[in-house]
Each structure stands twice: as C-alpha cells, then as structure tokens.
Amino acid sequence: MKITREDVLRVAELAHLELSESEVDAYQRHLDSILTYVEKLNALDTSGVEPMAQVTPPGAEAAGTPLRDDVEQPCAIIGEVLAGAPEGTPRISACRR
C-alpha cells in the first residue's frame, strides 16, 4: 500500500500534530513500511488458526504465565500529578479541554 503525503498530513491534522517537512517525509516512509508489512501478514494462510480474544492463551496462568489481580493501589506521585491541575483531589482532577 502506498501512503501519500496527503494521507500523512490528514492523519497529522486529525491528531492535532504540526509536522515539519522532514517529519512528513519520514512518517510517510514509516507508515508505508508498516502497511507493507501488514500486507505480507495478510497473505499468510491462517485458516487453521483459531481466533483469540485474549493475547494469552487459555490456561496461561497454570502454564507459568502469572497474571496479577486487578487491584487498586495507592499512587506515590499523586501530589506531583495534581500540582499541574487547576482543581483536583486524589480521586478526581479537572483540566481544560
């Protein structure tokens, strides 16, 4: 797939990025390279591969891939984080859009 200069500029616009001319050229090459690689992957026969909804296979924890419980933990830098917010408490912060 060939990424055009206009494609890069449109993506930059959507992401609210200001790119220099050299950055536009570099991103054009990088994105083109990525999509060319994805085209190669799409050419592979995956008919015998079962779809997955997780990145770890079922039973991964029993097989030695430990997964931690999703538990809320205190943040050691909450004061520094909230110092940059106009209003805030340790649970909620208000910021400009």
Side-chain angles (χ1 to χ4, degrees), residues 6-19 31:
E6 289 72 30
D7 293 331
V8 174
L9 292 173
R10 178 64 177 143
V11 170
E13 178 186 3
L14 292 171
H16 301 284
L17 298 174
E18 294 180 15
L19 302 178
L31 290 171

Side-chain angles (χ1 to χ4, degrees), residues 45-91:
D45 178 21
T46 58
S47 59
V49 178
E50 198 170 317
M52 295 176 61
Q54 291 279 134
V55 294
T56 56
E61 197 167 341
T65 306
L67 302 175
R68 67 170 174 79
D69 291 331
D70 191 12
V71 178
E72 184 176 336
Q73 298 179 355
C75 177
I77 60 167
I78 193 67
E80 295 173 46
V81 172
L82 290 176
E87 300 175 30
T89 67
R91 303 266 313 156

